[in-house]
Amino acid sequence: MKRILLCLLSLILIGSCGCGQTTYSELKIVCFSLGKADAFLIISNVGAVLIDTGYNGDAATIAACMDDNGVDAVDTLILSHFDKDHVGGAAALINAGRVKRVVHSDRQKDSDEYRAFAVAQESIEVIVPDEPMTFSLGNARFAVYPPEEGEYNSDDSNNASVVTFLQYGKCSFLFTGDAKKDRIKELQTIFKSKIDFLKVPYHGNYIKNLDDWLAKIKPDRAVITSSESEPYDSRTVEALEAVGTTVYYTVNGAITVTCDGKNMTFSQ
């Protein structure tokens, strides 16, 4: 039953885009360049969402970008999981009043970064979904998919990554955290049709069943978060290019994506 609900939710989100005469203002997505770490700031005309927060020292970079774009606080912070390269900046941002609420995975982590976050989150609204949840930010529609298993035999933290789907007009965006083989297997049953933008899972490390999934979703554009000292795997890029995907790399600098509900523009 849970898999049926997941599939229905994704079909509704994908199938209902672009209807009527809705006017779409510019949506901006900043893909930060933070080494092998994730942080994505999504800015609409009515608010902002942040997905992951990089390392412990990256909060200042994220806050500066928020300031540059007139964002006092993000409406929602989505933490895909609690590895230090995803949760590191969360406590500082929350303590500075830059986050209104947080949505995150149910897996805890024994680390200084997680403990700092756990204390900070007590001051704001917290949602730990056990079923897919949706919310809107103006015309931007988000769906958050929690892990389907209570525990994974292999790399439970990464495989338990919360995955975020964003539909903006006719454009679709998928942020996969550090999903690995077991989580990719779940995503294959949820997302079976074309995705416009893919945040490549697990920093571009090669995942054996990724090739088959890419053949289904055929992303137009993809972003890999990696560093020179911890590079992506060339086999991952080959798999992306084999389905016609244009790949961008945060190791070359921050990437800004703008979307008008029909088209996406990338700059770096």
Side-chain angles (χ1 to χ4, degrees):
M1 179 60 71
K2 186 172 183 179
R3 288 187 182 275
I4 294 172
L5 291 172
L6 290 169
C7 293
L8 287 174
L9 179 57
S10 61
L11 286 172
I12 290 169
L13 285 168
I14 295 171
S16 62
C17 64
C19 300
Q21 301 298 317
T22 303
T23 299
Y24 289 88
S25 58
E26 182 180 271
L27 183 79
K28 179 187 289 188
I29 302 175
V30 179
C31 312
F32 289 91
S33 177
L34 304 173
K36 189 195 75 67
D38 277 14
F40 301 89
L41 180 61
I42 302 166
I43 307 164
S44 79
N45 63 327
V46 297
V49 169
L50 179 63
I51 301 175
D52 289 331
T53 62
Y55 287 107
N56 185 40
D58 293 328
T61 299
I62 296 169
C65 182
M66 291 170 62
D67 291 339
D68 290 344
N69 287 278
V71 177
D72 293 329
V74 296
D75 297 87
T76 302
L77 164 61
I78 302 171
L79 290 171
S80 64
H81 63 301
F82 292 122
D83 285 0
K84 63 182 180 181
D85 52 330
H86 294 256
V87 71
L93 290 168
I94 294 170
N95 290 334
R98 309 304 298 259
V99 176
K100 296 179 182 178
R101 74 169 182 175
V102 62
V103 177
H104 62 71
S105 172
D106 62 355
R107 304 301 199 272
Q108 299 181 3
K109 193 83 174 183
D110 184 17
S111 69
D112 291 340
E113 290 83 0
Y114 173 75
R115 285 187 285 272
F117 162 74
V119 173
Q121 72 170 341
E122 294 178 0
S123 65
I124 61 172
E125 178 186 358
V126 178
I127 300 175
V128 184
D130 58 8
E131 296 285 348
M133 63 170 285
T134 62
F135 66 92
S136 296
L137 193 67
N139 293 323
R141 298 200 311 279
F142 293 82
V144 179
Y145 295 84
E148 296 181 23
E149 298 294 333
E151 184 176 358
Y152 295 91
N153 292 329
S154 175
D155 203 344
D156 186 57
S157 178
N158 284 330
N159 272 315
S161 290
V162 165
V163 170
T164 302
F165 177 78
L166 164 62
Q167 189 77 50
Y168 193 66
K170 295 182 178 180
C171 299
S172 54
F173 305 80
L174 188 60
F175 301 85
T176 58
D178 278 357
K180 295 181 70 175
K181 183 179 179 180
D182 291 341
R183 189 72 167 116
I184 294 296
K185 184 177 180 180
E186 295 173 356
L187 297 179
Q188 287 175 328
T189 69
I190 304 171
F191 300 100
K192 303 178 182 180
S193 57
K194 187 169 184 60
I195 297 291
D196 297 305
F197 171 101
L198 176 68
K199 200 296 289 190
V200 178
Y202 195 36
H203 309 287
N205 288 291
Y206 186 66
I207 305 166
K208 289 184 178 180
N209 58 346
L210 182 64
D211 301 55
D212 292 338
W213 187 42
L214 291 175
K216 294 179 180 180
I217 63 173
K218 293 182 172 64
D220 282 331
R221 313 286 182 91
V223 168
I224 293 177
T225 55
S226 63
S227 66
E228 291 183 0
S229 61
E230 296 178 283
Y232 55 85
D233 193 313
S234 61
R235 292 175 295 176
T236 301
V237 175
E238 290 169 4
L240 287 160
E241 293 179 342
V243 297
T245 305
T246 301
V247 186
Y248 295 82
Y249 309 91
T250 59
V251 68
N252 297 328
I255 301 154
T256 300
V257 186
T258 56
C259 179
D260 62 3
K262 294 180 179 180
N263 303 294
M264 297 183 299
T265 302
F266 284 65
S267 61
Q268 188 171 33

